[in-house]
Amino acid sequence: MRTVALAVTDGMLHFELSMAIEVFGSDLTHIVDPWYEFSLCGPAAVQVGRFRLEPDHGLDRLAHADTVIVPGWADTDTDPPAELVDAVRAAHAAGARMVSLCTGAFVLAAAGLLDGKRATTHWAHTAELARRHPNIIVDPDVLYVDNGDVLTSAGKAAAMDLCVHLVRLDHGSANANKIARRLVVPPHREGGQAQFIATPVPAPGSHPLAELFPWTLQRLGEPLTVEDLARQARMSSRHLGRHFKSLTGTTPLQWLHTQRIRHAQELLETTDETIDTIATATGMGTSTTLRRHFHRTVGVPPDTYRRTFRSHARPRPDAAAAAYHARHEA
């Protein structure tokens, strides 16, 4: 997935468009070399909010990219331009991985790329997407949906989550975490997390779980239970569950499971430790348990994951400690 093309026409949302440019259009060869070859593709000079952009290529160039990104589409009450829809459809037919950010899903939907698939968009527009395109399985409660060759995200910050997810798929979690740290965004949020949480996340240090999170991350190798977390937080298990739901959009056990899988990914990428050792370090206990949970969560066995992403790692004696600190300082 070396080449990334951003489809631009009049009426795109500049926030999501800027995110894609910042992640894929910046020179980040000091982190990953080679980095992506990036281009803007549009019919001519386009108006994006108060700004005008000069594309590098026409829309026909989309069919030559490995990944095509369609940013947010401002006017969801009207059909997107036919030339954009045709170019997106042609790119998918040519084998490109298609990605929409926020309301860019309306463009993929118009091209028929989401029919029969699960998809999402900004929560304020999910009902309209479902109404206009009844063949799509619209999920209003997630950050992003990965169907392999077609990916969709919710709005605003969730678009960045999907961009970082793409980097993780292409270059491994350790490098994705470095990119996230540079951008000062969370290194990883599961696509299945709620995109809209009624209670805002408090500033760091101002919520009841501020001390629990780092305490837990330092003990991923221990057999922690919800009761252990509740005891450390000095609250009941039920009360703990409510706080976790409001702060992370998930349950304590699911959050803990996710952190253990992420840590296992980093150890597989950055160390030569055996699967048994990694199982112990991540609190999975045995290699059998790690393999089962890892395969179920990531989609491939740990050994396959290591072979896939090992070439991106630069092993060093203190790799495990360095990877851990880089991850949690981000």
Side-chain angles (χ1 to χ4, degrees), residues 19-33:
M19 282 185 178
I21 293 175
E22 180 62 27
V23 174
F24 301 101
S26 299
D27 180 5
L28 299 179
T29 52
H30 62 289
I31 298 177
V32 180
D33 190 9

Side-chain angles (χ1 to χ4, degrees), residues 8-13 17 44-53:
V8 293
T9 61
D10 290 339
M12 292 294 183
L13 298 174
L17 184 147
V46 298
Q47 192 73 31
V48 180
R50 297 172 57 188
F51 308 100
R52 289 187 68 76
L53 292 177

Side-chain angles (χ1 to χ4, degrees), residues 219-225 228 256 260 283:
R219 294 166 174 80
L220 293 177
E222 299 178 14
L224 298 174
T225 65
D228 293 328
L256 181 60
R260 284 173 166 159

